[in-house]
Amino acid sequence: MMAARLLALLVLLGASTALAAPPRQADSTSLEFHGFRAGASLADLDALVRRYAGRTLRCDRAKADPHVSECRAVVRHPSLGPSVNVWISAIDSTAGVITLSTTMAADQLDRWRQTIERRYGRVDAQVQGPQWMMQWVRRGRMMRLTWRVERGGRAASVSLVDGRVLDTWGRTRSKGRR
């Protein structure tokens, strides 16, 4: 009898807690910028670069760890700007870090920021010395827009990081050292 009352009380407490808590929507968006997404395969990123630039990624294996590839490209597309440098650090052909960088006019930087904010929401810009930064985090992934004023315009970059790819690589490396 006592157990039945305790069970009923726990059910009521659980139900009232569930009713009081606002429903959470799942974050179904994967952080990406003009098709570039950390966690993507090098094959998918190569196809994207070919679509933007008409050439393939140039990749080199790291000497210290053959699982790591460093890839580079330059893309030109109206939505990105006249010439954007792309750098990808991939582990076992999966992008862990992607950086797109260029020098641009203020209006182009505003377009980059607005593109990201429309999809992922507004965040406050952080300032450290001459550099500004805005950051979004979703499901173990991070996107950061960084810029600073230079003589020729704004030096800007978007960095995309997949924490799960980097964590897996870190665990694999530490096991191999034992």
Side-chain angles (χ1 to χ4, degrees):
M1 183 72 123
M2 183 65 115
R5 286 186 198 169
L6 184 57
L7 181 60
L9 180 61
L10 288 173
V11 168
L12 285 173
L13 284 173
S16 66
T17 303
L19 291 174
R24 288 188 344 169
Q25 282 189 326
D27 178 11
S28 61
T29 57
S30 176
L31 294 174
E32 63 94 11
F33 184 67
H34 291 282
F36 289 93
R37 179 182 56 80
S41 72
L42 280 181
D44 288 344
L45 292 168
D46 185 55
L48 181 63
V49 166
R50 277 186 274 128
R51 198 167 66 233
Y52 280 149
R55 4 187 128 127
T56 61
L57 282 170
R58 293 180 321 271
C59 296
D60 295 313
R61 292 246 181 236
K63 289 176 179 53
D65 187 339
H67 296 280
V68 177
S69 296
E70 300 295 330
C71 304
R72 297 187 181 280
V74 176
V75 296
R76 292 167 181 82
H77 192 273
S79 63
L80 287 168
S83 179
V84 176
N85 296 305
V86 178
W87 172 78
I88 301 167
S89 181
I91 294 114
D92 294 325
S93 298
T94 303
V97 179
I98 301 172
T99 301
L100 294 90
S101 65
T102 191
T103 300
M104 61 180 64
D107 62 330
Q108 181 67 39
L109 175 61
D110 288 341
R111 285 193 293 278
W112 277 26
R113 182 185 49 78
Q114 290 164 359
T115 296
I116 296 168
E117 286 182 334
R118 268 194 304 275
R119 183 152 185 195
Y120 304 112
R122 294 187 58 123
V123 297
D124 291 333
Q126 306 294 317
V127 182
Q128 186 172 17
Q131 187 164 287
W132 293 70
M133 182 270 297
M134 299 170 80
Q135 181 172 290
W136 295 262
V137 177
R138 303 279 191 285
R139 295 184 174 184
R141 293 190 174 109
M142 184 269 301
M143 177 168 35
R144 180 179 290 165
L145 172 63
T146 307
W147 70 95
R148 69 181 178 280
V149 177
E150 291 185 344
R151 286 185 195 149
R154 309 281 189 284
S157 66
V158 170
S159 298
L160 300 140
V161 179
D162 189 314
R164 293 172 288 195
V165 171
L166 298 178
D167 288 345
T168 300
W169 175 63
R171 281 192 298 273
T172 303
R173 289 196 69 196
S174 64
K175 284 180 185 176
R177 289 185 189 154
R178 289 181 182 161

